[in-house]
Amino acid sequence: MSGITFSINSVTNDLVASIDPLLFEDLCSEASFAALISKTDYKDCELDKVAIKALAILLEQAKSTGVSDKVVGPIGKVVEENTEDTITISLAPDHMSASMSVVSNASGKQPSYQEVKDMLAYKGVTRGISKKRVQNLLNHAIESEPGKEFNEIIAIGLPARDGKASKIRPLVPNALDRILRPQEKGGDKVDMRNLGDVLCVSPDQAVAKRIPPTNGRLGYTVSNKPLQAKKGAWVDIKLGQNTKISDADENLILSALAGQPKFENDLMSIDDTYVSKGVNVGTGNIIYEGAVIVNGDVTENMQIIAKGDVTINGFVESAFIQAGGDIIITQGATGKMNEEDCQLIAKGNIFIQHGQGLHVQVDKNFNVKRQLAYSNVTCKGQLFIGDPENPSGNLFASKINAYNSIRAGSVGAISGSVLEVDFSEGYNHLIHNLESVHDLLKALTSVNVDHEIKLSKINAKKYPPHLRKKLKKLDACIGKERHLINWLRKMQGDLELAKKDYESNARIIANKELFPGVLVKLNKRIYRAQKETMKSRILLVDGAWEYQPII
């Protein structure tokens, strides 16, 4: 095979012959090339008669003129395995993903990852390709019987993520946040008795700041088309009670007076604050329009009624405490056994270290740090006995009207004293509202159908011009009916979702142990704990109470 070499053009897949006119003495024909190629790795190539004749003419001319330059030209095509029959690439209409379908064949061979990548590039897929997914698909096809098909998404784009709107960030903590975050004692320890100074801000002190909106994140399609993100919007600052915008910085919120800060629902307010060293017969009862801070104990039969938060850095004994916000008692609260003469009523949250003989009504969460016993509680939020992250306190011998989950360490007592938890009150209130909305929607829809039919009949008739204004008013009234019906439908959907959430959240979780004597109710659905068990929970499953161990 002197004077001739063969090679493959990787771009065109042509079999190329390179011939030296001075050394090559064989005939330049299809038969001679076939004989030569049969001795090489290119024996499966398909020869092209026309290309060979063209190359023969060039070779003859080179020999006749004595040119020594090599004659180079294609003479055929490399025969490839038909991967199009075994691999299919599908691109999603929005170009956010690409899928690959692989059919296993009898030969047990599949293309390499690089070859698949080239196929994807031909289809325009150049980004977000998962090598692992592609290789897994190819491996499955190789290992399976012929004809079996495998499909998977093998390339995923990145959606653009719009920027977040501006938001208000508090610069001072709420009183409850301070209580739940004890002061550092040294090293990794905290001092549970040192809860820090009671926080009061001074006039013109910065209490909150508006954080600028974010730019968002750019995205891309699998065909590498960039996707733009929208920048977040600037949201107007809503000022709470006793706050103002700084003259020097339009994004800074200042306190308008000395008082206690309260940040809730992205709104910073400052409660005018009354501070007392204690509440007893010497000070008298406290009834105040703002927040109240008591740096001492609240003694028997005394009252505190405040529209803001009530913070007591001391102990409460058989007293009446009512707050329009949170109630925070850094020590304990106790009433006479079985009399529940210590009442705590809050529109917000309640936090105490320990409680006994209490009558509690709280619209949000109730957190007892250590132990709650012999008390009557209505809690519309969650009830935690211990640290909210991992409650480990004790709850026993009480009656709880619960609207949400109850979490504690030990639930019930080894003595078998009754702990009754009833989820009926909140559930029945939801059901009543749902039925009322359903009945109202049904009645209004029926009336609206009659009105629509009558209006249609009127509009089909001819009427004098002076009646047109009246008909427009009638049409507007029926339009309001439609609007009200749509609003009621949305409310019905919201209530149905709230009912499902209520059933899902109705549960008791004991992180240490559950004792006999625990009674759980939801109307006629009742569960009684019969024996002592370790970590466990009681929850509703398909409408019935179920005990589940926590592993």
Side-chain angles (χ1 to χ4, degrees), residues 431-448:
I431 295 299
H432 173 74
N433 289 343
L434 184 58
E435 290 175 349
S436 298
V437 170
H438 178 268
D439 292 343
L440 184 58
L441 180 60
K442 184 178 179 181
L444 186 58
T445 301
S446 177
V447 170
N448 179 253

Side-chain angles (χ1 to χ4, degrees), residues 12-153:
T12 61
N13 282 336
D14 288 333
L15 177 64
V16 178
S18 179
I19 304 173
D20 187 333
L22 301 178
L23 298 178
F24 185 74
E25 297 178 353
D26 206 342
L27 294 174
C28 191
S29 65
E30 183 179 359
S32 62
F33 279 135
L36 292 172
I37 292 170
S38 65
K39 300 174 183 178
T40 68
D41 294 335
Y42 309 118
K43 57 186 177 182
D44 293 328
C45 289
E46 293 180 353
L47 297 179
D48 186 338
K49 294 180 181 180
V50 175
I52 292 172
K53 286 181 180 179
L55 188 64
I57 293 171
L58 291 175
L59 181 61
E60 194 64 33
Q61 290 175 349
K63 284 186 175 184
S64 62
T65 57
V67 176
S68 60
D69 292 340
K70 290 184 178 181
V71 177
V72 180
I75 60 170
K77 287 283 186 182
V78 176
V79 178
E80 295 183 307
E81 291 185 12
N82 189 1
T83 59
E84 292 186 4
D85 293 338
T86 61
I87 293 182
T88 304
I89 305 296
S90 301
L91 192 59
D94 59 0
H95 286 214
M96 290 305 295
S97 66
S99 302
M100 186 170 84
S101 173
V102 182
V103 179
S104 56
N105 52 52
S107 67
K109 294 181 179 180
Q110 292 292 346
S112 66
Y113 168 72
Q114 185 57 48
E115 289 173 320
V116 171
K117 195 173 179 182
D118 292 340
M119 293 176 65
L120 288 167
Y122 179 76
K123 292 281 189 178
V125 180
T126 58
R127 197 162 184 190
I129 302 170
S130 170
K131 182 177 180 179
K132 183 178 180 180
R133 292 189 179 189
V134 171
Q135 200 61 61
N136 284 343
L137 270 180
L138 296 176
N139 291 341
H140 286 321
I142 292 172
E143 296 167 358
S144 301
E145 64 274 10
K148 191 166 184 180
E149 185 176 357
F150 300 90
N151 296 280
E152 190 171 354
I153 293 175

Side-chain angles (χ1 to χ4, degrees), residues 315-316 329-334 344 351-356 358 366-373:
F315 190 82
V316 175
I329 303 172
T330 61
Q331 295 184 26
T334 184
L344 307 178
F351 171 89
I352 60 176
Q353 284 287 341
H354 57 86
Q356 180 172 298
L358 306 182
F366 185 23
N367 184 197
V368 184
K369 196 70 174 178
R370 297 175 185 171
Q371 179 173 290
L372 179 66

Side-chain angles (χ1 to χ4, degrees), residues 239-255:
L239 291 177
Q241 184 180 8
N242 299 320
T243 60
K244 61 183 181 180
I245 302 293
S246 169
D247 293 334
D249 185 349
E250 65 178 5
N251 294 313
L252 199 61
I253 302 173
L254 307 180
S255 171

